[in-house]
Amino acid sequence: MAIAALALVGILGAAFTHELVAWWVTIPVLAIASGLYASLQHEVSHGHPTPWPLANTVIAGAPFGLVYPLARFCDLHLDHHGDPALLTEPGIDNETRYCSQAVWDDAGRIERLGRRAERTLLGHLTIGVTRGSLSYMVSDLRATLHDRRIRVIWIRHVVAVADVIGIVVFSGMPLAQYAIGAVYGRVFFTGLRTFAEHRGVPEGTRSAVIHARRPLSLIFLNNNLHHTHHARPGAAWYELPDLHEQLGSDELAAQGAGLYEGGYLELVRRYGVRPFCQPVHPASVTA
């Protein structure tokens, strides 16, 4: 509840005090609060912070990021937590950023350049998060044509988005400022966390560990300890550090998807403008 209150105060407080505070303060506050709220919604997908789904939706169901209906995120994210051996597999893992060899072979020059660019951190936080968001929306909106449940979810989402925009307009904050802070800020922090958290290695865990200190570990609700999260997906965020030590996740990640002891600065240094890995899934290359 404290996390939800902190995120809500940050988002609504920034909106209603924007005339009193410089934009270069308001926008980062919005981005951090929106990133934290997104992490809270991730917790909701795993049945937290309460045992009651309706209460969790009330706590974290507002679409401040505008793009994602919480109910659909929960559906798709739990699918991502299926067979650990199939993590990152194109066509199976809905959160993978790899493509198959066949898709690569059929891709044109521009698409290949884009996919290569997305393997850098800079490209991922610009091209990647934009393309991923649009691709998700298009795919899910197509699903509304033949799935009544998904259609109802999106109708409710559109109504809720209208309410959020109404609040922003009432606060007097320019919509462009809100979009940069709360909408892009959400995908920026989510994209930063997810950039290197999975890798299609042939052996060992495909979930990495990225050491982070506060405030990032709080904004991410410890999901930078991603191997631990996948090993114990039902654990609440505050349980992850102790479980991390118990499971020996550092050692397991180092032998698999990767251990980044230097945290996100290490990712910036190593992969800011250099590819994290190839676009084609390694299994496709050797198949």
Side-chain angles (χ1 to χ4, degrees), residues 33-56:
S34 189
L36 178 60
Y37 197 75
S39 295
L40 180 62
Q41 291 182 318
H42 173 262
E43 285 291 292
V44 167
S45 74
H46 289 282
H48 305 292
T50 80
W52 306 289
L54 180 59
N56 292 340

Side-chain angles (χ1 to χ4, degrees), residues 25-218:
V25 174
T26 298
I27 288 178
V29 168
L30 267 177
I32 291 169
S34 189
L36 178 60
Y37 197 75
S39 295
L40 180 62
Q41 291 182 318
H42 173 262
E43 285 291 292
V44 167
S45 74
H46 289 282
H48 305 292
T50 80
W52 306 289
L54 180 59
N56 292 340
T57 300
V58 170
I59 292 169
F64 290 115
L66 305 186
V67 177
Y68 303 105
L70 176 60
R72 288 300 291 149
F73 168 74
C74 292
D75 291 344
L76 297 170
H77 185 67
L78 292 179
D79 287 344
H80 164 72
H81 276 273
D83 188 343
L86 298 178
L87 275 173
T88 74
E89 296 283 347
I92 299 175
D93 179 4
N94 58 39
E95 293 188 14
T96 189
R97 288 183 290 113
Y98 289 99
C99 67
S100 67
Q101 185 66 56
V103 168
W104 181 259
D105 290 342
D106 290 340
R109 183 181 178 185
I110 300 300
E111 182 179 351
R112 288 188 177 188
L113 285 173
R115 286 186 179 274
R116 286 195 181 103
E118 288 178 24
R119 308 315 285 166
T120 68
L121 182 57
L122 178 61
H124 177 61
L125 293 178
T126 52
I127 301 170
V129 296
T130 302
R131 188 178 71 87
S133 297
L134 292 175
S135 177
Y136 160 77
M137 289 182 66
V138 170
S139 174
D140 221 47
L141 286 171
R142 284 175 179 167
T144 64
L145 299 176
H146 54 79
D147 190 312
R148 183 180 180 277
R149 177 178 175 273
I150 297 176
R151 186 161 58 249
V152 169
I153 287 172
W154 272 95
I155 290 171
R156 290 174 176 171
H157 176 68
V158 169
V159 172
V161 164
D163 291 339
V164 169
I165 292 175
I167 292 171
V168 176
V169 171
F170 179 73
S171 75
M173 170 175 273
L175 289 176
Q177 189 171 334
Y178 182 83
I180 295 169
V183 181
Y184 178 70
R186 173 195 173 98
V187 296
F188 173 87
F189 279 106
T190 302
L192 178 62
R193 176 179 64 79
T194 60
F195 173 68
E197 69 183 15
H198 291 297
R199 192 163 193 160
V201 294
E203 295 182 2
T205 177
R206 294 186 174 185
S207 299
V209 167
I210 305 168
H211 287 187
R213 296 182 179 179
R214 293 182 179 176
L216 279 180
S217 63
L218 179 61

